Amino acid sequence: MADARHVTTQHPDGQRPDTQVVVVGAGPVGLMLAGELRLGGADVVVLERRTSPTTESRASTLHARTMEILDSRGLRDALGEPPNERRGHFGGIPLDLTLPGRYPGQWKVPQFRTEQLLQEWALALGADVRRGWEVVELAQDGEGVLVTADTARGPVRIRASYLVACDGEDSTVRALTGAPFPGRRTVRELLRADVAGIEVPGRRFERLERGMTVAARGPEGVTRVMVHEFGTSARSRTREPDFAEVADVWKRVTGEDIAGGRPLWVNSFGDANRQLARYREGRVLYAGDAAHQQMPIGGQALNLGVQDAVNLGWKLALRVRGLAPDSLLDTYHSERHAVGARVLENIGAQALLLLGDAEVEPLRTLMTLLVAAEENRARLAGMISGLDIRYPVDEGDEGGDHPWLGARLPELALTVPGAPGGPGRPTTTTELLRTGRGLLLDLSGDPTAALGRTAEPWADRVTAVAALTDPAAPGGLDGPDGPGAEAVLVRPDGHVVWAATSRAVPLSRVLRRWFGASRHESENPSRG
């Protein structure tokens, strides 16, 4: 037990926080959250059990919404030109993922590269990433969370105002807190490996008599193989499978011998489908696979987790800085739990289509017909890509039925007016979000407009920009499904929470709801 040894506590009184937020886990989700917290002005320490970053490419798919998010933080260009595939799948049934936007389809980026990019970004912003720190105990009270971690120099205690678990599907934090994690246990599993030195036919979710197979050869000569043998149940595992097991199953299903290949890594993943009852318990929050466990079908798991982090980061930063009420953190659970539940539903359906034996063939035939209809294709593509997420805006009528309300702000080409008679400055809505602040976008182009004056008391959290749309560029605030608007208020995560229509509530009310009390109210609480 940690308390049976000498334990170092960074502050003798054990009460004063060492940091505002502790993030447990330095995978893509934890690192994305660390960067978002720093962008929002919060102090953050990341604790990671592994002593070095991963070198594996397990989660290698970035979907359109995640690519947009990376671009909105100025990180997209660092990825270079990763392979782009417009075609995805739904349970192994081909599905065109093309939708309007800059990044249609799916983009192939090895997980180690995503982690490297996000770590460099988080560190550059001032995050404190500590590797070789394994969390073994935690306790929370009304003032904060006390974390005990095993390190190379022995147990160390750190006190933080909040803790966020981003430590994966086998979350230590979740186990320590005993958080309810209802759902379905693993019944079937898929074996997976990256293997060098083999030559097998390429396969894309090929269903053979005895099982389902995937074989995809990468540009460096490494082949990713995945295989499920119909009718088999998942094993109870305490460690990853041996490559010999993968080779045996592969041979039984395909008749091919890959035993002579050199495995770079091997793992298995099952069809467990679980979700935390609550993403927040007091001062402990959960994101990524620590909050939801699902089969990584279609690359949705990593993207779902990264988007959890972007939803939570700005809210938690405002909270720890004393600028927003505690209730703002509750919107993280209400928004992301609903999104996670929907993703788990579609993954559960895909797992049945993908791993089911001959009995699912009639259902696969029907789904193939349904996906051929454009309305169905677009609906599934929006769900898988994350482009159709629309958070409920339920406190009053923040803009009537404007089609963007609650949805992500599409990219617009803009011109910010210069001095009278001078040239304007071209920009885009994506560039305007890179500060990680809220954005009040006034499309009248008049910097002296009343909207900017209304937002001025929130100028430390919200940037007001007057701009004109480029009439030659696609997009605009007038949509066929709703009224136009001359201005929108956008959260740091890119979602629109107010539109200036005839039915909109006062802007100040919406600013207060999402960004807390104004500076005037904070300075004069009795009059706020």
Side-chain angles (χ1 to χ4, degrees), residues 467-488:
L468 297 170
T469 57
D470 182 348
L477 285 175
D478 291 303
D481 301 320
E486 291 187 354
V488 288

Side-chain angles (χ1 to χ4, degrees), residues 276-359:
L276 279 177
R278 289 199 56 79
Y279 284 14
R280 179 192 179 194
E281 292 293 343
R283 292 178 174 269
V284 177
L285 300 102
Y286 302 83
D289 288 350
H292 37 74
Q293 182 183 6
Q294 61 286 305
M295 207 168 191
I297 296 177
Q300 292 183 84
L302 180 146
N303 293 268
L304 179 63
V306 167
Q307 291 165 35
D308 286 345
V310 175
N311 182 286
L312 174 59
W314 66 274
K315 296 174 181 177
L316 186 52
L318 285 174
R319 178 59 186 152
V320 299
R321 291 172 59 200
L323 299 174
D326 184 71
S327 59
L328 182 62
L329 292 182
D330 291 331
T331 68
Y332 166 65
H333 166 78
S334 62
E335 292 178 349
R336 294 307 297 175
H337 190 276
V339 171
R342 191 180 67 154
V343 170
L344 264 63
E345 287 176 354
N346 92 58
I347 286 179
Q350 291 194 66
L352 177 62
L353 291 168
L354 198 62
L355 305 183
D357 57 18
E359 291 185 352

